[in-house]
Amino acid sequence: MAESVVLDPVDLHLLRLLQNDARTTYRDLAAQVGVAPSTCLDRVARLRRSGVILGHQLRLDPAKLGRGLEALLLVQVRPHRRELVGPFVERIRALPESRTVFHLTGPDDYLVHVAVADMTDLQRLVLDEFTARREVARVETRLIFQQWDCGPLLPPGHA
């Protein structure tokens, strides 16, 4: 388990702002937080070095890319052994339809968030890429009607 990093109120404010808009300039961040731009730059660099900030991602609208149907696939792999799950995860991660893969506890081993063109494409994906694999014992599909982003991720007690 990774060790947590001690964050002061300025760090927390920077993280809130950056999670809302990672393109905010250091000058604007500094003004909003009340520190010098050089201090802001140093703090963000320290947050990156310590692994608190993992990177920056561009968010795309799947529907505008022709992938208007999103689903969650609950996948059971049998036998659930390292020599099978490693290649399974790498194959699923390489699929252009895959958005996120979670390794779970409980009756299902994986939860895979996918984005596809339509129901026919989803059926093709499930049959050709999941259930056709020898190690996949079962796949359950849940369609996503709507999703919402939540607030910034902060340490416990700093809401």
Side-chain angles (χ1 to χ4, degrees):
M1 185 170 173
E3 207 172 297
S4 63
V5 176
V6 177
L7 304 170
D8 67 17
V10 172
D11 293 330
L12 293 170
H13 196 178
L14 286 169
L15 291 174
R16 274 189 198 98
L17 294 169
L18 287 170
Q19 285 183 81
N20 287 330
D21 184 359
R23 295 178 306 160
T24 306
T25 66
Y26 288 116
R27 177 177 292 162
D28 290 342
L29 283 172
Q32 292 180 62
V33 175
V35 297
S38 60
T39 301
C40 181
L41 178 65
D42 290 343
R43 282 179 173 264
V44 172
R46 181 180 52 79
L47 291 167
R48 282 194 185 102
R49 280 192 312 274
S50 66
V52 172
I53 295 176
L54 297 176
H56 306 279
Q57 294 180 333
L58 181 66
R59 293 183 50 210
L60 303 174
D61 183 340
K64 294 201 170 136
L65 296 173
R67 296 182 183 277
L69 180 65
E70 293 186 71
L72 299 173
L73 306 179
L74 293 158
V75 182
Q76 191 177 72
V77 173
R78 292 293 176 261
H80 193 166
R81 293 194 319 248
R82 189 174 300 279
E83 64 269 13
L84 291 176
V85 299
F88 170 78
V89 169
E90 289 312 308
R91 173 65 187 138
I92 298 312
R93 289 184 66 212
L95 295 172
E97 298 88 353
S98 295
R99 306 284 314 273
T100 310
V101 180
F102 298 93
H103 192 188
L104 308 172
T105 63
D108 299 303
D109 300 312
Y110 295 93
L111 175 67
V112 184
H113 177 192
V114 298
V116 295
D118 53 29
M119 196 63 79
T120 301
D121 197 24
L122 179 60
Q123 182 182 26
R124 176 208 50 82
L125 179 71
V126 170
L127 293 176
D128 296 346
E129 299 295 345
F130 285 85
T131 60
R133 295 186 63 90
R134 195 173 306 143
E135 69 273 23
V136 173
R138 183 178 55 79
V139 175
E140 285 187 32
T141 304
R142 303 287 190 269
L143 297 181
I144 298 173
F145 289 139
Q146 193 170 359
Q147 72 182 53
W148 296 267
D149 288 332
C150 298
L153 178 64
L154 297 171
H158 292 91

